[in-house]
Amino acid sequence: MQLFRFANPDFLYLLLLPPVLIILWVLNNIRRKRAFKRLGDQGLVKKLVPELSGIRPGVKFFLGLIALTSVIIIMARPQFGSRLEEVQKQGVEVIIALDVSNSMLARDIQPDRLTRAKQALTRLIDNLDNDKIGLIVFAGDAYTQIPITTDYISAKMFLSAISPAMVAKQGTAIGSAIDLGMRSFSPGEGKSKAMIIITDGENHEDNPVSKAKEASEAGIVIHTIGIGSPQGVPVPIESGGNTDYLKDRSGNSVITKLNEDILREIAITARGSYVRASTSNIGLDEIYGEIRKMKTQEMESTMYTEYNDQFQIFAAIALFLLFAEFFIMERKNRKLTNIKLFKFRI
């Protein structure tokens, strides 16, 4: 199957230039004809200027125009691919559940918990090859940020835009994140499915352990990463260029602490691992090493292969037309006009 594409399609916008040149050429011809008529009797003028040709300038112009079009196509690099290939790739499905509650702005992990987690996730995505990845954000409720996909570029783009402001309801509902994660995997039995939950573990909304048990029964492995310090730190709030701290209804600073117990229990219940993050190591590499040991599944993907440049024919056309345009004179040659190759006397 032959597949065609342009390697540099942006250059095709230059194809708007030939129609503009044609319009300018037509307008210029109209102007010249009017000026020619003002010289006097047309028959007399033609006798005075016998070398003047009305066809040759047009021929030269259109030869140059076609040559220009060919050069534009060459710049766009037309290519043919030799075949369309169905490739079976081996991989697993991984859903990241990232806590985006206000407590993730705490700075016991530098520069802050959320920013450090996003940096580690970006690096993880850069190292993915065949695996599918999805992203869920949660605070008081859970939302799908990226459906399960192999589009790593889009995943990184959406990841960079994540902030606590995108979630209206604050809190930490780990159970809701697990429930949404279970519903976000591709349907079908026998698939390798894993979740990675990155949070400080301060669950205020539901019972995540019971949801972890449901996930385990559905064949989903859950790994947890605890991010923060057990001692606790205040939650900074940026306002007008100044830093204040989140306060409760009594006016006291809210202290956010890492709850490792709940995260360990979730991981044990769902046959996963728990890792405590630090500024230097979030723990994603260790957990993803465990995920890579899971039984991989076949994932179909379509790819184009063996594209070859096919500009040679356009280069030959452009070269030939430029040579022809160079040798065609705009005026008739008197000496060549008098040569009669076929002259018979009767």
Side-chain angles (χ1 to χ4, degrees):
M1 180 179 178
Q2 291 291 313
L3 302 166
F4 181 78
R5 74 174 186 183
F6 287 101
N8 302 320
D10 290 344
F11 282 107
L12 294 176
Y13 287 113
L14 294 175
L15 290 176
L16 297 173
L17 188 58
V20 174
L21 294 177
I22 291 174
I23 293 172
L24 294 176
W25 181 79
V26 170
L27 294 175
N28 185 56
N29 261 11
I30 293 172
R31 183 189 61 79
R32 289 180 62 188
K33 285 182 179 179
R34 288 175 179 173
F36 190 68
K37 287 180 179 179
R38 287 197 294 267
L39 293 176
D41 181 71
Q42 300 302 296
L44 180 59
V45 172
K46 287 180 181 180
K47 289 179 181 179
L48 292 173
V49 193
E51 308 90 10
L52 191 64
S53 173
I55 297 176
R56 297 189 183 204
V59 172
K60 285 174 66 66
F61 172 78
F62 280 101
L63 288 178
L65 197 66
I66 297 172
L68 173 64
T69 303
S70 299
V71 170
I72 292 172
I73 294 174
I74 292 170
M75 293 167 64
R77 291 183 59 196
Q79 295 179 331
F80 276 107
S82 60
R83 64 182 180 273
L84 178 65
E85 193 175 79
E86 289 287 342
V87 177
Q88 293 289 339
K89 293 185 176 181
Q90 301 288 329
V92 298
E93 291 188 354
V94 183
I95 289 180
I96 309 291
L98 180 60
D99 187 350
V100 294
S101 59
N102 285 329
S103 61
M104 290 293 285
L105 297 176
R107 293 170 182 166
D108 45 5
I109 299 289
Q110 294 297 318
D112 60 62
R113 297 174 181 177
L114 182 58
T115 300
R116 186 67 187 88
K118 288 165 62 175
Q119 291 170 350
L121 285 171
T122 299
R123 189 173 65 252
L124 172 67
I125 293 171
D126 285 335
N127 294 326
L128 294 180
D129 186 14
N130 298 331
D131 300 319
K132 289 185 176 181
I133 190 170
L135 180 61
I136 289 172
V137 295
F138 68 95
D141 206 347
Y143 307 90
T144 299
Q145 182 73 359
I146 308 166
I148 199 83
T149 182
T150 54
D151 186 355
Y152 303 139
I153 295 176
S154 295
K156 288 171 63 177
M157 180 183 68
F158 281 103
L159 178 63
S160 65
I162 288 175
S163 72
M166 68 191 307
V167 178
K169 183 181 178 183
Q170 282 299 313
T172 307
I174 300 175
S176 295
I178 296 173
D179 184 61
L180 180 58
M182 286 190 291
R183 293 183 277 114
S184 299
F185 286 103
S186 300
E189 298 293 330
K191 294 183 179 294
S192 299
K193 304 172 183 177
M195 279 188 70
I196 303 175
I197 301 174
I198 304 176
T199 178
D200 52 30
E202 287 191 312
N203 191 76
H204 307 293
E205 308 295 332
D206 47 28
N207 183 5
V209 177
S210 63
K211 289 295 181 182
K213 185 177 180 180
E214 289 181 32
S216 181
E217 291 171 354
I220 300 169
V221 177
I222 300 178
H223 302 275
T224 56
I225 295 178
I227 188 164
S229 62
Q231 294 77 21
V233 292
V235 179
I237 300 294
E238 297 290 339
S239 178
N242 299 317
T243 301
D244 198 358
Y245 292 95
L246 188 66
K247 293 179 172 55
D248 59 19
R249 294 179 180 178
S250 302
N252 300 315
S253 294
V254 175
I255 302 299
T256 172
K257 299 179 181 181
L258 171 63
N259 186 348
E260 292 189 284
D261 293 337
I262 189 79
L263 296 180
R264 283 197 184 96
E265 192 174 356
I266 291 170
I268 292 170
T269 302
R271 300 172 290 117
S273 303
Y274 167 73
V275 175
R276 179 177 170 183
S278 66
T279 299
S280 59
N281 182 20
I282 291 295
L284 275 172
D285 293 337
E286 293 88 336
I287 285 181
Y288 207 76
E290 294 296 318
I291 291 174
R292 294 302 299 160
K293 295 177 184 177
M294 298 173 66
K295 180 182 177 181
T296 57
Q297 64 195 52
E298 289 190 348
M299 299 179 182
E300 285 190 0
S301 63
T302 303
M303 66 188 321
Y304 299 98
T305 60
E306 296 183 20
Y307 276 104
N308 298 311
D309 287 314
Q310 300 292 335
F311 64 87
Q312 294 87 349
I313 186 171
F314 296 101
I317 291 172
L319 191 61
F320 174 78
L321 294 176
L322 288 174
F323 268 108
E325 191 272 342
F326 178 77
F327 284 107
I328 294 175
M329 294 179 290
E330 289 197 4
R331 295 176 178 272
K332 298 175 183 178
N333 190 306
R334 292 185 180 183
K335 294 180 180 180
L336 294 178
T337 303
N338 294 328
I339 296 176
K340 299 186 182 344
L341 295 177
F342 302 98
K343 186 176 181 181
F344 299 95
R345 288 179 182 271
I346 300 178

